């Protein structure tokens, strides 16, 4: 026996769309060897980051992107950062698919030998940072990074 009832179904909730990754091809010349290389770059995220660590509070931009030199090359995922007052992007971690880790540092760690990104890759990240509304005030290459003030709700500010 089947009983039909009329129950109002709740309306489907509107789900915010996740930002689509930015995919571009970057032609660059390696600074040491002069070799011209073409990379397929997929930028997943560029966001504001604040981390409390041994050196104090690090505030700046954090980015996650994947580069691939050719169709038969393994893609490499890079976590990069640019702190307030810096003019360059630096790689914090680099991993391959399958779990191989080339190097891994914390966000904004510049101890030892920091890995500076190639200028053309850094330009892609800077353009993606400008695309996020209300995030960056100034992020031109070679000039100090300036972030916009983070708007906090009064309740969150009262708790802090």
């Amino acid at each position: 026996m089947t009983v039909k009832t009329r129950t109002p179904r709740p309306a489907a909730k509107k789900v915010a769309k996740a930002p689509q990754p930015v995919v571009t091809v970057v032609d660059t010349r390696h600074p040491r060897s002069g070799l011209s290389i073409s990379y397929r770059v997929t930028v997943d995220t560029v966001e504001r980051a604040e981390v409390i660590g041994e050196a104090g509070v690090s505030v700046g931009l954090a980015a996650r992107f994947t580069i691939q030199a050719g169709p038969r090359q393994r893609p490499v995922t890079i976590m990069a950062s640019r702190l307030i007052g810096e003019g360059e992007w630096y790689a914090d971690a680099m991993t391959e698919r399958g779990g191989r880790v080339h190097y891994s540092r914390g966000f904004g760690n510049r101890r030892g030998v920091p890995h500076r990104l190639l200028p053309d890759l850094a330009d892609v990240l800077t353009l993606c940072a400008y695309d996020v509304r209300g995030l960056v005030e100034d992020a031109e290459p070679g000039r100090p990074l300036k972030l916009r003030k983070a708007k906090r709700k009064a309740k969150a500010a009262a708790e802090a």
Side-chain angles (χ1 to χ4, degrees):
M1 182 169 140
T2 305
V3 178
K4 291 187 177 180
T5 59
R6 289 191 132 203
T7 56
R9 293 182 179 175
K13 294 181 180 179
K14 293 183 180 178
V15 177
K17 292 182 181 178
Q20 296 294 322
V22 175
V23 179
T24 185
V25 175
V26 175
D27 296 319
T28 187
R29 185 170 298 278
H30 197 275
R32 291 185 188 152
S33 66
L35 180 66
S36 180
I37 301 175
S38 179
Y39 291 111
R40 180 176 184 259
V41 180
T42 305
V43 180
D44 296 320
T45 61
V46 176
E47 59 192 4
R48 179 187 181 98
E50 297 181 23
V51 175
I52 299 173
E54 297 172 0
V57 179
S58 299
V59 179
L61 295 176
R64 178 188 170 108
F65 65 101
T66 304
I67 62 172
Q68 188 172 9
R72 295 183 185 226
Q73 299 292 324
R74 286 185 175 180
V76 177
T77 301
I78 298 175
M79 302 291 284
S81 64
R82 184 172 174 184
L83 302 178
I84 290 180
E86 290 183 340
E88 302 287 333
W89 284 87
Y90 292 92
D92 295 332
M94 186 164 86
T95 59
E96 283 185 21
R97 187 174 10 163
R100 180 175 179 213
V101 177
H102 291 267
Y103 56 87
S104 180
R105 300 171 170 223
F107 169 78
N109 186 348
R110 303 292 186 256
R111 293 184 184 160
V113 180
H115 300 274
R116 187 179 323 151
L117 290 181
L118 293 172
D120 295 330
L121 295 176
D123 290 344
V124 171
L125 295 180
T126 301
L127 289 174
C128 289
Y130 276 120
D131 287 345
V132 179
R133 290 185 85 185
L135 181 65
V136 174
E137 188 173 312
D138 187 17
E140 293 298 320
R143 294 176 61 190
L145 173 68
K146 292 181 186 176
L147 295 178
R148 296 215 176 172
K149 299 288 183 192
K151 294 181 180 178
R152 296 184 181 181
K153 295 181 180 179
K155 185 176 182 180
E159 291 176 4

